């Protein structure tokens, strides 16, 4: 299959499936050349491979087969908080507990098929865990570049797949650019957040949501945004379904950022097409550590996605995130990481502003599981001790 990469901004086409950036500076993506597509084309295949004809690679072996196919759960307990009819697209059910697997399932096998000996990534979070899992499942060496001061828990989560972990000192923030350059010079594929093949994998989340609603379309889809990679993939999916005639009115894409690092919210409010990078002085600490990017590489594309679909970008504080995380658990039964809890807090803000209304269907996308965070503090849990012989009396006192 010939793979053409295109630029969302200037429309330039490249007959090159490994280029990351357009001459104009914007990240590239791969638009499917398929002219027809129907929902039942997927047959009984599962996960992201239901949409194989719209993906740039054939279905590989290994853990990639388990990516996607996550449940969409109607969750009435969250309606009052969100201000609409809530559906939860539970991305924690991916093999490594985050939506990143959709991208790794396409990008890692694609790089291996191209003959790259080693897969790499620059991350100390879900991207690192996911990339390492997919590389090892295809018996390929993986190198993960992490910051020098990475926590023990994070090292353990990444280390279980036994990649080579390199702590980098002297400017982790600049490593993103260095990595792209190294990828071009050496037979190593460093798969960062906006690698075009990752974006192809991410679009399957939108396909799954729309397939579940077909022939209807949800009114709102809310996702957390950091680099803007996931938002780009969802927008790519919207465009492809519009072209295939499977949706008329696109869902409004609502992106949520942490107030500690929110260049996209600022640009959206200013009416700017490009985010202005935030300086270290302007950037704060946050419990939503998966979404703290002050200089999002796919930021302009994410903003274009929001404007094209009539959506919005909002920021929420750590207090709102803590509350939302608890609501996800207590009102919905979902264990989500702080970055993902932002979706509920963000939609609740939009409802307060009258931008989401009660009858509307709202899909919240918790991008990653909260189980990886347990033991890192935050929740006070109380539990009483009762002597065995006192249990019957205690239980009776608990009955209504
Ligand atoms: C990576 C990540 C995000 C942010 O996605 P971007 O593509 O960087 O915008 C959000 N939530 C979780 C759990 C993540 O791991
Ligand atoms: Zn361009």
């Amino acid at each position: 299959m010939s793979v053409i990469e295109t630029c969302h901004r200037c429309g330039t086409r490249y007959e090159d499936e490994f280029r990351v950036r357009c001459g104009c500076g914007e990240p590239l993506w791969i638009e499917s050349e398929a002219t027809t597509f129907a929902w039942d084309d997927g047959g009984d295949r599962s996960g992201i491979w239901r949409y194989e004809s719209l993906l740039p690679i054939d279905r590989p072996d290994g853990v990639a087969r388990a990516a996607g196919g996550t449940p969409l759960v109607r969750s009435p307990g969250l309606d009052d908080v969100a201000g609409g009819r809530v559906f939860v697209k539970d991305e924690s059910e991916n093999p490594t507990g985050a939506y990143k697997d959709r991208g790794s399932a396409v990008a890692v096998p694609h790089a291996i098929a191209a003959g790259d000996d080693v897969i790499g990534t620059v991350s100390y979070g879900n991207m690192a865990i996911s990339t390492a899992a997919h590389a090892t499942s295809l018996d390929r060496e993986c190198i993960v570049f992490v910051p020098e001061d990475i926590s023990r828990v994070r090292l353990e989560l990444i280390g279980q797949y036994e990649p080579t972990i390199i702590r980098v000192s002297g400017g982790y923030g600049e490593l993103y650019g260095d990595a792209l350059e190294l990828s071009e010079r050496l037979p190593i594929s460093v798969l960062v957040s906006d690698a075009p093949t990752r974006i192809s994998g991410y679009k399957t989340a939108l396909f799954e949501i729309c397939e579940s609603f077909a022939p209807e379309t949800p009114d709102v889809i809310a996702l957390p945004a950091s680099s803007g990679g996931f938002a780009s993939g969802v927008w790519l999916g919207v465009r492809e379904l519009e072209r295939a005639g499977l949706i008329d009115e696109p869902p409004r894409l609502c992106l949520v950022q942490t107030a500690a690092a929110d260049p996209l919210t600022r640009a959206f409010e200013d009416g700017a097409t490009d985010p202005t990078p935030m300086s270290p002085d302007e950037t704060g600490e946050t419990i939503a550590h998966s979404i703290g990017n002050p200089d999002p590489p796919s930021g302009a594309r994410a903003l274009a996605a929001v404007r094209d679909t009539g959506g919005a970008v909002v920021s929420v504080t750590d207090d709102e995130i803590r509350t939302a995380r608890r609501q996800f658990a207590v009102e919905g039964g979902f264990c989500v990481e702080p970055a993902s809890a932002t979706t509920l807090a963000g939609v609740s803000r939009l409802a307060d502003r009258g931008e989401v209304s009660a009858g509307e269907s709202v899909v919240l996308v918790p991008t990653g599981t909260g189980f990886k965070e347990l033991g890192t503090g935050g929740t006070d849990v109380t539990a009483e001790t009762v002597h065995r012989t006192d249990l019957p009396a205690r239980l009776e006192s608990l009955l209504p």
Side-chain angles (χ1 to χ4, degrees), residues 158-242:
I158 300 167
Q160 63 187 319
Y161 302 105
E162 300 189 358
T164 301
I165 302 178
I166 301 181
R167 294 179 198 248
V168 180
S169 58
Y172 189 71
E174 280 83 69
L175 206 55
Y176 181 89
D178 298 353
L180 293 184
E181 206 186 289
L182 283 172
S183 280
E184 274 167 23
R185 282 224 322 270
L186 304 171
I188 158 168
S189 241
V190 183
L191 298 167
V192 290
S193 61
D194 57 1
T197 42
R198 273 196 185 283
I199 308 300
S200 294
Y202 295 160
K203 74 185 177 185
T204 61
L206 184 278
F207 291 165
E208 287 176 15
I209 292 169
C210 288
E211 184 170 8
S212 302
F213 275 87
E216 308 289 314
T217 309
D219 295 301
V220 173
I221 298 182
L223 353 151
S226 183
S227 71
F230 192 28
S232 299
V234 168
W235 189 34
L236 180 60
V238 167
R239 292 159 56 116
E240 291 186 1
L241 293 189
E242 283 179 327

Side-chain angles (χ1 to χ4, degrees), residues 85-98:
R85 298 178 61 242
V86 174
F87 295 79
V88 174
K89 178 64 175 166
D90 187 9
E91 289 297 290
S92 72
E93 293 215 5
N94 278 291
T96 72

Side-chain angles (χ1 to χ4, degrees), residues 62-397:
V63 75
R65 293 215 175 178
T70 59
L72 179 82
V73 184
R74 169 77 181 106
S75 202
L78 297 171
D79 288 0
D80 280 349
V81 182
R85 298 178 61 242
V86 174
F87 295 79
V88 174
K89 178 64 175 166
D90 187 9
E91 289 297 290
S92 72
E93 293 215 5
N94 278 291
T96 72
Y99 85 89
K100 297 283 196 304
D101 289 330
R102 295 179 185 274
S104 303
V106 176
V108 173
H110 175 263
I112 289 174
D116 278 335
D117 300 328
V118 177
I119 304 300
T121 194
V122 183
S123 163
Y124 52 102
N126 293 323
M127 174 80 83
I129 297 168
S130 174
T131 306
H134 282 79
T136 199
S137 110
L138 293 173
D139 199 20
R140 208 46 63 111
E141 191 59 41
C142 181
I143 303 178
V144 180
F145 301 98
V146 301
E148 204 177 4
D149 59 356
I150 183 170
S151 77
R152 279 251 38 109
V153 176
R154 302 242 132 217
L155 266 184
E156 211 176 294
L157 285 166
I158 300 167
Q160 63 187 319
Y161 302 105
E162 300 189 358
T164 301
I165 302 178
I166 301 181
R167 294 179 198 248
V168 180
S169 58
Y172 189 71
E174 280 83 69
L175 206 55
Y176 181 89
D178 298 353
L180 293 184
E181 206 186 289
L182 283 172
S183 280
E184 274 167 23
R185 282 224 322 270
L186 304 171
I188 158 168
S189 241
V190 183
L191 298 167
V192 290
S193 61
D194 57 1
T197 42
R198 273 196 185 283
I199 308 300
S200 294
Y202 295 160
K203 74 185 177 185
T204 61
L206 184 278
F207 291 165
E208 287 176 15
I209 292 169
C210 288
E211 184 170 8
S212 302
F213 275 87
E216 308 289 314
T217 309
D219 295 301
V220 173
I221 298 182
L223 353 151
S226 183
S227 71
F230 192 28
S232 299
V234 168
W235 189 34
L236 180 60
V238 167
R239 292 159 56 116
E240 291 186 1
L241 293 189
E242 283 179 327
R243 219 175 310 128
L246 291 173
I247 56 175
D248 295 326
E249 188 69 13
R252 289 159 10 232
L253 294 187
C254 294
L255 306 184
V256 191
Q257 296 216 282
T258 156
D262 60 354
L264 298 178
T265 309
R266 292 167 187 226
F268 180 73
E269 286 172 356
D270 293 347
T273 51
D274 293 80
T276 304
M278 287 172 63
S279 69
D281 289 348
E282 291 171 296
T283 314
E285 294 280 311
T286 175
I287 56 167
H289 45 73
S290 292
I291 54 168
N293 196 326
D295 184 10
S298 288
R301 194 161 57 182
L303 286 166
V306 167
R307 295 210 170 95
D308 182 57
T309 60
V313 192
V314 286
S315 301
V316 294
T317 64
D318 275 8
D319 279 346
E320 290 174 286
I321 294 172
R322 279 190 202 93
T323 304
R325 196 176 178 203
R326 185 173 161 270
Q327 287 162 331
F328 256 117
V330 178
E331 313 291 347
F334 295 97
C335 174
V336 307
E337 72 160 87
S340 302
T342 59
T343 53
L344 181 58
V347 166
S348 161
R349 275 211 176 192
L350 291 173
D352 287 345
R353 300 201 313 222
E355 292 177 40
V356 171
S357 49
E360 289 194 305
S361 48
V362 176
V363 180
L364 305 179
V365 189
T367 40
T369 179
F371 287 122
K372 292 177 193 166
E373 321 267 324
L374 297 181
T376 57
T379 315
D380 286 329
V381 180
T382 53
E384 63 188 308
T385 303
V386 178
H387 193 274
R388 233 188 83 230
T389 52
D390 296 332
L391 269 181
R394 181 63 183 121
L395 287 185
E396 259 169 58
S397 77

